Amino acid sequence: MLLAIDCGNTNTVFAIWDGSEFLCTLRTSTHHARTADAYFTWYSTLVKHYGLDVEIDEVIISSTVPRVVFNLRVFADRFFGCRPMVVGKPDCALPIEPRVDGGTIVGPDRLVNTAGAHDRHGGDLIVVDFGTATTFDVVAADGAYIGGLIAPGVNLSLEALHMAAAALPHVDISKPQQVIGTNTVACMQSGVFWGYVGLVKECCARIRAERARPMKVIGTGGLASLFNETEELFDVLEEDLTMHGLTVIHAYNKKG
């Protein structure tokens, strides 16, 4: 049984894969000081809650926060007796190597999204991931990551407004009823919502023009479905793209 772990800047997700489906997905906040014992206490409590009787013998990790990898390695070794694969490390091969400038380190999350998207949808893709940052990953016809864009995440933008402007409150993102806000909260929500709709449209249009070919747009991340409600920004929505990508990379390495 495989335990796939995706550690982002905000949240860390554990998913148990039995070879054909995910049995459960567990989510916690990312904290670099969390110990291996603390991970296991949290993990085992939730697995028991879901009534699962599973034996983990393999672990794969993708982490955009380097400082947590050590404790996740200890967690895998101490409690499951295995050495985890870590995406981005030399001993974890990718189905297709990225084609970017020499010396560039591509974020593991982007490599995993690329592998998962290409496995499900083929090539010539734009993967838009709404996370702590909003990223656009461009996937070539053969499945290689060939670059993209990074913009501030939606919640990060709202938090920056609140922190930098004393008169502006903290607000949650939601779809506004109209473009013109008639109070401060509505103005902020409208500015962020329609601003990000415009961001996605313009960036995808320019990527398509630069690539001079049709490209399918894949939306993923917690807020992708919200932004797709009005404008149908994406050809496909993928809720578990990152976790699927981890299983694809794991399977590729096992075949080798």
Side-chain angles (χ1 to χ4, degrees), residues 169-252:
H170 177 79
V171 300
D172 294 324
I173 182 64
S174 65
K175 176 186 172 184
Q177 295 183 353
Q178 57 191 34
V179 176
I180 302 172
T182 54
N183 57 68
T184 301
V185 170
C187 288
M188 292 174 66
Q189 289 176 331
S190 186
V192 170
F193 183 88
W194 294 113
Y196 274 85
V197 167
L199 173 75
V200 173
K201 280 185 171 182
E202 184 68 13
C203 289
C204 289
R206 288 182 176 271
I207 290 170
R208 286 187 174 115
E210 195 167 292
R211 295 285 292 161
R213 68 190 68 192
M215 301 190 74
K216 182 180 290 186
V217 181
I218 313 298
T220 191
L223 292 173
S225 59
L226 172 67
F227 283 96
N228 205 50
E229 283 182 9
T230 302
E231 294 293 310
E232 296 184 356
L233 296 175
F234 313 116
D235 297 302
V236 181
L237 281 173
E238 292 279 9
E239 293 184 1
D240 65 343
L241 184 64
T242 302
M243 306 316 290
H244 177 67
L246 283 169
T247 68
V248 170
I249 293 174
H250 177 266
Y252 178 78

Side-chain angles (χ1 to χ4, degrees), residues 32-181:
H32 68 86
R34 184 172 284 125
T35 64
D37 291 349
Y39 278 118
F40 185 71
T41 300
W42 166 81
Y43 165 84
S44 58
T45 299
L46 285 179
V47 167
K48 182 178 180 180
H49 169 77
Y50 286 112
L52 295 175
D53 183 15
V54 295
E55 184 174 340
I56 301 297
D57 52 19
E58 295 181 285
V59 177
I60 184 168
I61 300 167
S62 168
S63 177
T64 59
V65 186
R67 289 199 292 173
V68 306
V69 174
F70 174 78
N71 282 327
L72 287 172
R73 282 184 182 272
V74 174
F75 164 75
D77 178 64
R78 180 178 297 167
F79 297 105
F80 305 124
C82 67
R83 177 182 175 85
M85 294 182 191
V86 180
V87 178
K89 299 298 183 183
D91 57 351
C92 183
L94 300 171
I96 301 290
E97 289 297 316
R99 293 195 290 273
V100 293
D101 294 344
T104 300
I105 299 176
V106 181
D109 55 331
R110 309 184 81 175
L111 299 174
V112 171
N113 281 348
T114 295
H118 183 257
D119 181 70
R120 284 181 170 170
H121 304 288
D124 288 327
L125 307 174
I126 304 169
V127 181
V128 185
D129 188 352
F130 288 88
T132 304
T134 301
T135 59
F136 297 73
D137 301 327
V138 183
V139 184
D142 64 352
Y145 170 87
I146 57 171
L149 297 79
I150 301 175
V154 177
N155 288 316
L156 190 63
S157 294
L158 282 168
E159 187 65 23
L161 275 175
H162 170 62
M163 295 293 292
L168 296 181
H170 177 79
V171 300
D172 294 324
I173 182 64
S174 65
K175 176 186 172 184
Q177 295 183 353
Q178 57 191 34
V179 176
I180 302 172

